[in-house]
Amino acid sequence: MMGTPQLTKNQSLVMGALAHSDGPMSAYTILDKLRDHGFRAPLQVYRALDKLLEYGLVHRLESLNAFVACTCPQDHDHEHGVTAFTICEGCGQVTEFHDEAIEQRLSTLVRAQSFKTEKTTIEIRGHCKSCA
């Protein structure tokens, strides 16, 4: 995919809600925030989230069943095999990072298993400096 995709109105609204959020948001929290913009059903949010995930503009945090906007530089041609997050149990702060060494090591491990990876997300839970 080249460049930033053209987003629909609903996709733009969901992206805006996530981009301006202080932390991860569930689909239902997004729905509540966007009711004044014509959102009435969870399916509207899920459809927008599915496309935003496909475009690499948002990430799903599996352990929280919530979504965050991607914080990578504006190159949404995600070729990172691994996306990693630290999640603070105290304040809920989520930080996204990528590490080439971890990515290479995991790649070597899965190749040794003759395993084809579709997606790898690492979620590290603990406490940030402020909450520790």
Side-chain angles (χ1 to χ4, degrees):
M1 173 180 292
M2 300 300 268
T4 303
Q6 184 68 33
L7 301 181
T8 65
K9 177 185 174 200
N10 283 359
Q11 291 164 4
S12 293
L13 288 167
V14 169
M15 186 67 215
L18 286 169
H20 295 98
S21 171
D22 290 336
M25 296 174 72
S26 71
Y28 283 91
T29 302
I30 295 169
L31 176 62
D32 287 343
K33 287 218 178 280
L34 296 178
R35 284 192 192 280
D36 291 344
H37 295 278
F39 280 72
R40 297 288 175 257
L43 189 56
Q44 291 173 286
V45 175
Y46 282 114
R47 282 185 182 143
L49 285 168
D50 284 345
K51 278 298 182 185
L52 294 170
L53 286 164
E54 180 184 318
Y55 297 150
L57 297 173
V58 302
H59 298 289
R60 183 171 188 270
L61 298 173
E62 305 289 337
S63 65
L64 301 177
N65 194 22
F67 301 86
V68 293
C70 179
T71 59
C72 284
Q74 295 302 319
D75 73 21
H76 290 108
D77 300 332
H78 276 279
E79 293 305 322
H80 320 295
V82 178
T83 303
F85 299 93
T86 55
I87 303 169
C88 180
E89 299 280 359
C91 66
Q93 176 182 316
V94 174
T95 303
E96 175 181 349
F97 66 95
H98 301 274
D99 184 286
E100 202 170 307
I102 292 172
E103 201 166 312
Q104 288 175 352
R105 181 69 181 128
L106 288 173
S107 178
T108 300
L109 290 169
V110 296
R111 267 198 316 274
Q113 299 293 318
S114 299
F115 188 80
K116 184 181 182 309
T117 305
E118 301 291 327
K119 174 183 139 185
T120 304
T121 304
I122 298 171
E123 297 181 25
I124 304 167
R125 298 181 70 129
H127 290 89
C128 69
K129 185 178 181 178
S130 299
C131 294

